[in-house]
Amino acid sequence: MPKEILVDPSLFRKAGSLAFPTIPVHAYAGDIASERAVRGDARLKDVLRHMMIVREFETMLGTFKATGAYSGIEYAYKGPAHLSIGHEGAAVGAALALTPDDHIFGSHRSHGEFIAKGLAAIADLDPAALRAIMEHHAGGSLLATVETHLGGADAKAVAENFLLFGLLAEIFMRGNGFNGGMGGSMHAFFLPFGAYPNNAIVGASSGIATGAALRRKLSGSKGITVANSGDGSTGCGLVWESMNFAAMAQFETLWTDAQKGGLPVLFFFNNNFYAMGGQTIGETMGWDRLSRIGASVNPAALHAETVDGTNPLAVADAVARKRALLLEGRGPALLDVECYRISGHSTTDANVYRSREEMAAWEAHDPITSFSTTLVEAGVMSLEDVQAMKETVAGTIRAVTAAAVDPKAGTIIDIHSNPTLIGRLMFSNEEIELPAEPAPDVKAPDTTARVRQNAKKSRFGLSPEGDKLSPMRAITLRDGLFEAILHHMVHDERLIAYGEECREWGGAFGVYRGLSDLLPHQRLFNSPISEAAIVSTAVGYAMEGGRALIELMYGDFIGRAGDEIFNQMAKWQSMSAGHLKLPVVLRCSIGSKYGAQHSQDWTALVAHIPGLKVIYPATPYDAKGLMASALASQDPVVVFESQRLYDIGEQFHEGGVPEDYYRIPFGQPDVKREGEDVTILTIGPSLYAALAAADQLQETHGLSAEVIDARTLVPFDYAAVLASVKKTGRLLLVSEASERGSFLMTLSSNITRFAFGDLKAPPRVLGSPNWIVPGAEMESTYFPQVGDIIDIVTGEFYPEKKSNRRGVRTWDDLELARHSL
């Protein structure tokens, strides 16, 4: 779309062929003598010790799951244990080449990567820095527990016990685990050591690490990000979307000089030849070497390479080379790290999918056995030294385990005495204050024609005579959204906006029109048509301290990003016990005229997921104020916008839409029209049908309807609705979502409970039929109309006022339900 990039037919119509870079396979040529010279014997011994710690830690977990006891310690561990026994060379080798400023994102099988990264960080940090980190975490309470129950010979030993105890306490869901017991085995992290969240969803860290790399690039942070996943994840769409997102050419072609260069993200695949039981090479994948997939992403083939993952020094060499390349702005990069999973996928894995002969053949390549042999043969250690190290490690893990299962050390979370603990972690309910001065990379707002045009418009949508003004003459809902977004983009340089057709096009429905005149590409850019990556990268961007405004164009496309919205964006704040904030605003329009795949109201689907705030403004005043609150929020927010309301003007707020910046608190329904006989609660565009029906009810039937616009779905304060129902005794709830399972059903159920004594009739929900959305010609027979509202009020609430039906709903709801309609 950018005019700066010419699509030249004379170039693209030439005959020729494509060539691909050579992809190295097992190219490490180092030897132990050279490694001793570079790293020193002490560091090489630590490499072996770190691998032993990872192995013993995971052996302990596996033993608990299999027998209920480890080294004489009995404990009924109920959680998962996806072990990485056999991956130690990959995990420790990678950590050896990273610094504390590098951030790794893991998978469901990432205990080893977590431990290895933490141990490497401890080795690199000085004692004072380690002490400060431990004292800062949880106010020093975890450190005090470690010093009391475990101690340590020196600061480094205390820090290692701190790392292992904090992780194990988290796995055992103890209150003083690193995540407060809210994450567990597959979601653990400790940010100060560069160990960012592990992830239970296969391949999910690919997008999050890519977004984190984007934030690090834009903020000028040191270091790289690493997306750890397995070979099976190459079958996941998000992984491909993320690699493409990370390799977007615009980083070189369109971004300003200071921000040019690829993203500093390394896609690190622990290739153990199996997903769960499916074998990737020869069965479930088309590639013969995982590294081959790099050639499909960009001309540099992601600098892909296949590495011997059983040799930690080979892995460290490859990671160090890729890291240097990434820091030069030549990313992203890919490593295919071949290792073998000695343990099963989980503790219930009977290994029926692989032969004993295969497993026996790989025993000779056990990374710990191989590396200890190398050190002994080189004279770095003796066999007795290796055995002594193994026993010391076993003693450390036993001591940490004993402390973690002891309630005096590993504090048990008492939900019975604190029943809303988890609920209070769902949202921070915090907002930021914006700087008074504009960000340095933004042009003056009045340099774009849209701002000048808006300045000439009426702030109110009605003329003095009460006639509706055209969108050319009055501030619209689209304009209200724009003004709030513009204010935040101007004043919050951490905020970026992206999605499909967001820049020159101005967003598919023009909300961003004019922003491209003011903002550089790195603040507002077009993404690929990759809904999963759009959301996932925003999550990672936010985890690293940024703020993201993203657009999926149509709400119907939520399905393309289901995991990223429901499992990532929604959950990390609570799974981290509040250590992470997720200031992500996701915009989704609800279509009209486009039929079944582009016109669905999925508000109920999103509102059903704990951890997401959900708003649906229906007026320009509310759109501006609620969008401002969304962009200021530290919590993830989903904004639904009706395409049929983009051009509507303000009809309610006295004085119209204020020019100045303002916020509207979430959760407060707004009474748009007062009445005495019936309460009509609406969501989205149904507000206007309800208002028109209220006029006719008053004129034709003498009934006074109070109309309330929900505005916010999550949270929802029932006070205004309950007060209205106390007055009217009757409640009709209207939205354009399909009735079955709609959010109105939840509201109706709760209001029935809360206001049972005030109700004179059962609440009635009016939504769309449980059918596909038809095309434009039939929409008026599908979405609730004025006549449908009048029919219910006069036919069910006030049967004495009943007249001829005005709506099209002549069917019997009970009969339709019998046929699942």
Side-chain angles (χ1 to χ4, degrees):
M1 187 181 296
K3 296 177 181 178
E4 301 97 314
I5 302 175
L6 175 66
V7 181
D8 187 350
S10 65
L11 172 65
F12 286 100
R13 293 183 61 80
K14 284 183 179 179
S17 62
L18 295 176
F20 297 89
T22 299
I23 296 176
V25 176
H26 292 199
Y28 175 68
D31 56 50
I32 192 63
S34 61
E35 294 284 2
R36 291 180 75 181
V38 172
R39 304 185 190 279
D41 286 1
R43 195 63 189 260
L44 294 177
K45 291 178 184 178
D46 261 351
V47 169
L48 178 60
R49 187 173 67 88
H50 292 179
M51 288 197 293
M52 287 182 175
I53 290 174
V54 171
R55 175 72 62 87
E56 188 64 25
F57 187 95
E58 295 216 303
T59 299
M60 171 266 295
L61 286 178
T63 303
F64 271 133
K65 291 295 290 183
T67 68
Y70 163 77
S71 191
I73 303 170
E74 294 186 356
Y75 182 69
Y77 172 50
K78 300 177 182 179
H82 297 91
L83 308 180
S84 60
I85 294 175
H87 292 200
E88 297 87 357
V92 173
L96 183 61
L98 300 174
T99 74
D101 290 324
D102 300 316
H103 298 167
I104 68 169
F105 294 79
S107 70
H108 60 289
R109 198 183 307 282
S110 285
H111 302 143
E113 293 149 9
F114 182 109
I115 294 170
K117 184 65 168 70
L119 292 173
I122 290 168
D124 288 340
L125 293 167
D126 63 62
L130 285 172
R131 186 77 189 181
I133 287 171
M134 293 186 290
E135 288 179 344
H136 179 75
H137 177 76
S141 60
L142 178 58
L143 173 60
T145 296
V146 170
E147 289 180 327
T148 299
H149 293 273
L150 292 167
D154 54 28
K156 300 276 186 178
V158 171
E160 290 188 356
N161 284 336
F162 176 91
L163 170 75
L164 297 169
F165 178 86
L167 173 58
L168 188 56
E170 182 60 37
I171 291 172
F172 288 168
M173 310 300 273
R174 298 303 177 100
N176 52 359
F178 279 137
N179 307 26
M182 293 296 117
S185 170
M186 296 188 285
H187 310 110
F189 64 89
F190 187 64
L191 305 184
F193 289 164
Y196 272 59
N198 294 338
N199 209 302
I201 306 300
V202 172
S205 285
S206 59
I208 295 174
T210 297
L214 176 60
R215 173 59 187 165
R216 308 205 82 190
K217 173 184 173 64
L218 293 183
S219 65
S221 301
K222 297 183 293 183
I224 69 170
T225 66
V226 180
N228 286 296
S229 59
D231 47 315
S233 71
T234 60
C236 298
L238 173 64
V239 172
W240 290 88
E241 288 187 19
S242 301
M243 291 189 295
N244 179 67
F245 190 105
M248 285 192 296
Q250 66 177 285
F251 299 138
E252 287 287 353
T253 59
L254 295 173
W255 289 31
T256 56
D257 289 343
Q259 299 295 348
K260 282 190 184 299
L263 296 189
V265 56
L266 172 61
F267 296 97
F268 188 101
F269 292 94
N270 288 280
N271 180 2
N272 61 29
F273 308 103
Y274 292 94
M276 186 171 169
Q279 186 173 317
T280 47
I281 297 176
E283 184 183 6
T284 64
M285 301 296 167
W287 44 259
D288 54 348
R289 267 340 219 288
L290 188 153
S291 54
R292 188 182 292 278
I293 69 177
S296 68
V297 178
N298 68 354
L302 294 181
H303 311 284
E305 184 173 342
T306 294
V307 184
D308 179 6
T310 68
N311 183 349
L313 301 181
V315 177
D317 168 72
V319 171
R321 287 186 284 106
K322 302 308 175 190
R323 182 178 185 274
L325 179 148
L326 296 179
L327 293 177
E328 292 171 3
R330 297 167 59 198
L334 180 152
L335 283 178
D336 164 23
V337 184
E338 294 182 336
C339 47
Y340 193 76
R341 192 185 71 215
I342 296 172
S343 58
H345 166 74
S346 62
T347 52
T348 59
D349 186 346
N351 289 307
V352 295
Y353 51 87
R354 51 183 177 175
S355 67
R356 293 182 180 180
E357 291 78 12
E358 177 184 294
M359 297 177 70
W362 277 96
E363 287 180 6
H365 303 282
D366 181 300
I368 295 177
T369 302
S370 298
F371 194 65
S372 61
T373 298
T374 297
L375 295 185
V376 169
E377 290 177 349
V380 177
M381 300 177 72
S382 67
L383 287 172
E384 291 76 15
D385 292 336
V386 172
Q387 183 60 31
M389 179 182 285
K390 185 176 181 180
E391 292 173 359
T392 299
V393 166
T396 297
I397 299 301
R398 189 192 188 285
V400 168
T401 304
V405 302
D406 181 356
K408 295 178 182 177
T411 55
I412 296 174
I413 300 173
D414 186 1
I415 293 293
H416 294 289
S417 63
N418 193 2
T420 61
L421 169 65
I422 298 174
R424 293 197 306 275
L425 294 173
M426 298 311 299
F427 299 115
S428 71
N429 293 317
E430 297 173 0
E431 292 186 348
I432 63 166
E433 291 299 323
L434 292 174
E437 297 300 318
D441 59 357
V442 181
K443 295 179 183 178
D446 61 5
T447 59
T448 181
R450 182 171 188 179
V451 169
R452 297 193 299 272
Q453 292 164 359
N454 281 0
K456 300 175 183 178
K457 290 184 176 183
S458 168
R459 308 302 295 186
F460 196 58
L462 302 177
S463 70
E465 294 75 29
D467 298 323
K468 292 180 182 178
L469 298 177
S470 78
M472 301 297 292
R473 296 180 57 200
I475 293 295
T476 63
L477 187 144
R478 178 188 287 108
D479 295 327
L481 293 170
F482 169 80
E483 290 183 350
I485 292 167
L486 173 63
H487 187 86
H488 274 263
M489 294 298 290
V490 167
H491 290 274
D492 186 356
E493 62 181 327
R494 294 177 299 167
L495 177 65
I496 62 173
Y498 59 97
E500 296 149 351
E501 318 308 337
C502 280
R503 193 166 172 86
E504 289 81 7
W505 198 295
F509 307 103
V511 171
Y512 295 148
R513 184 175 56 81
L515 287 182
S516 62
D517 299 334
L518 308 176
L519 299 165
H521 275 84
Q522 58 265 24
R523 295 285 310 284
L524 173 70
F525 59 89
N526 294 326
S527 73
I529 301 176
S530 302
E531 288 84 359
I534 290 170
V535 178
S536 186
T537 53
V539 170
Y541 190 84
M543 281 186 181
E544 285 279 3
R547 308 179 69 80
L549 170 62
I550 52 177
E551 179 182 353
L552 291 190
M553 192 183 297
Y554 279 83
D556 311 70
F557 303 164
I558 285 171
R560 296 283 294 270
D563 176 72
E564 291 68 35
I565 298 171
F566 303 150
N567 272 328
Q568 311 301 332
M569 182 174 158
K571 292 186 171 64
W572 275 112
Q573 193 156 280
S574 51
M575 286 198 301
S576 73
H579 290 293
L580 295 171
K581 297 290 189 294
L582 268 294
V584 176
V585 176
L586 170 61
R587 295 180 52 236
C588 301
S589 76
I590 295 179
S592 177
K593 303 177 183 178
Y594 282 83
Q597 294 182 330
H598 279 65
S599 304
Q600 299 168 94
D601 181 331
W602 280 1
T603 50
L605 183 64
V606 177
H608 177 72
I609 305 300
L612 297 171
K613 292 186 174 180
V614 185
I615 63 175
Y616 195 170
T619 72
Y621 174 80
D622 292 341
K624 181 174 180 177
L626 287 171
M627 176 58 78
S629 292
L631 292 170
S633 176
Q634 291 285 61
D635 300 315
V637 182
V638 179
V639 183
F640 286 97
E641 304 162 10
S642 170
Q643 291 174 21
R644 285 190 282 111
L645 297 184
Y646 278 133
D647 284 332
I648 203 157
E650 179 57 40
Q651 303 173 24
F652 306 98
H653 186 74
E654 187 175 349
V657 182
E659 292 185 44
D660 293 337
Y661 176 80
Y662 62 94
R663 298 175 187 173
I664 295 175
F666 291 151
Q668 298 181 3
D670 189 47
V671 177
K672 300 299 189 188
R673 174 184 177 132
E674 294 185 351
E676 302 293 332
D677 299 316
V678 61
T679 300
I680 305 177
L681 174 62
T682 67
I683 293 176
S686 295
L687 167 66
Y688 296 94
L691 290 166
D695 286 340
Q696 293 190 32
L697 286 168
Q698 184 69 60
E699 295 170 6
T700 307
H701 301 282
L703 294 173
S704 171
E706 182 148 294
V707 180
I708 303 177
D709 179 11
R711 302 196 298 185
T712 303
L713 280 67
V714 181
F716 187 89
D717 185 344
Y718 287 86
V721 180
L722 296 179
S724 180
V725 170
K726 188 177 185 64
K727 175 174 56 174
T728 67
R730 296 167 177 84
L731 174 65
L732 172 61
L733 306 93
V734 189
S735 84
E736 295 189 344
S738 296
E739 281 185 13
R740 184 171 56 226
S742 72
F743 188 68
L744 290 186
M745 290 295 187
T746 297
L747 293 178
S748 175
S749 175
N750 286 338
I751 294 168
T752 301
R753 290 169 51 218
F754 302 151
F756 188 77
D758 296 319
L759 287 166
K760 299 173 182 176
R764 179 69 151 81
V765 170
L766 172 62
S768 297
N770 303 313
W771 313 330
I772 61 169
V773 182
E777 292 78 3
M778 293 181 283
E779 273 192 353
S780 63
T781 68
Y782 180 80
F783 296 127
Q785 303 295 311
V786 173
D788 301 316
I789 295 172
I790 293 173
D791 286 347
I792 291 174
V793 173
T794 59
E796 299 182 25
F797 292 159
Y798 291 94
E800 70 276 12
K801 303 280 189 178
K802 185 176 181 180
S803 58
N804 294 330
R805 279 186 176 271
R806 303 188 180 203
V808 299
R809 294 163 185 259
T810 58
W811 56 77
D812 183 325
D813 287 337
L814 192 59
E815 180 65 20
L816 287 184
R818 290 181 58 240
H819 299 283
S820 299
L821 299 176

